[in-house]
Amino acid sequence: MKNIAVLVSGGGTNLQALIDAEKRGETGNGKITCVISSKEDAYALERAKNNGIKTIVLKRKDYLDVASYSKAMAETLKAENADLVVYAGFMTILDEQVCNAFPYKMINVHPALIPSFCGKGFYGLHVHEAALAKGVKLSGATVHFVTEECDGGPIILQKAVEVKNGDTPETLQKRIMEEAEWKILPYAVKLFCDDKIEIRNGLAVVSE
Ligand code: GAR
């Protein structure tokens, strides 16, 4: 079995989707073994506790800078014997110390179709505000490997979602979560845990 560590900062609906998928036997050879939060009041921690999953709080403000926080995170993940690290609404920047310790073993869900509306400053509702300001008719979600480049790692899965007239950032966020994120994130975890993702020439190739 592969140990899955999930990094969270907020409500944790993507974590919940992973927990529910595991209960249905849909995470393949993977098991969520710990949830690490950058915030002590993240509701995601309650979701983990309600399901008997170990929780760890690593508060960003307890560390002087990104480097010392990243070092602590890398050490924690190693101590937890993580085989896969999933960023599920994790809103804190980590540096190369973590990527180097877990090369192509960390995946992130982003609420847009990368390379649109991604990179520094594009997180949470800001992503949907930008999509609506541009007037795109399709947005969606992307699951990708985490590398040093923010939102720039190899893309594993994407799913498009319609933007509707009258959408607000909140209604678009909800539709993208329901129709895309909560589906492709657990599926990408299953693919990883069943060794169905390969890196070839810097791109992720999925064999289903
Ligand atoms: C999700 O929409 C996730 O894609 C996004 O934050 C939300 C977290 O919700 N992540 C990012 O914007 C990261 N760049 P959740 O805590 O309910 O899963």
Side-chain angles (χ1 to χ4, degrees), residues 24-45:
R24 292 193 303 267
E26 290 173 7
T27 50
N29 200 31
K31 184 174 168 47
I32 304 167
T33 47
C34 77
V35 169
I36 305 175
S37 176
S38 61
K39 295 204 177 119
E40 63 193 333
D41 58 352
Y43 185 67
L45 289 167

Side-chain angles (χ1 to χ4, degrees), residues 8-16 44 47 87-91 108-112 119 122-125 127-128 141-142 144 150-151 173 176-177 181-182 185:
V8 296
S9 300
T13 63
N14 278 290
L15 168 67
Q16 190 66 55
R47 297 181 190 271
Y87 287 46
F90 184 65
M91 303 301 190
N108 176 48
V109 61
H110 182 75
F122 288 97
Y123 60 91
L125 279 176
V127 177
H128 307 297
T142 302
H144 63 92
C150 181
D151 294 331
Q173 178 184 56
I176 289 175
M177 283 177 157
E181 296 186 48
W182 300 344
L185 182 62

Side-chain angles (χ1 to χ4, degrees), residues 6-69:
V6 185
L7 308 189
V8 296
S9 300
T13 63
N14 278 290
L15 168 67
Q16 190 66 55
L18 289 171
I19 293 170
D20 294 345
E22 184 180 316
K23 282 190 186 152
R24 292 193 303 267
E26 290 173 7
T27 50
N29 200 31
K31 184 174 168 47
I32 304 167
T33 47
C34 77
V35 169
I36 305 175
S37 176
S38 61
K39 295 204 177 119
E40 63 193 333
D41 58 352
Y43 185 67
L45 289 167
E46 300 307 312
R47 297 181 190 271
K49 286 175 195 155
N50 291 342
N51 288 278
I53 301 166
K54 177 176 180 180
T55 59
I56 296 171
V57 177
L58 264 192
K59 278 189 277 178
R60 173 65 182 83
K61 61 176 192 271
D62 286 348
Y63 295 84
L64 221 53
D65 49 24
V66 175
S68 53
Y69 186 70

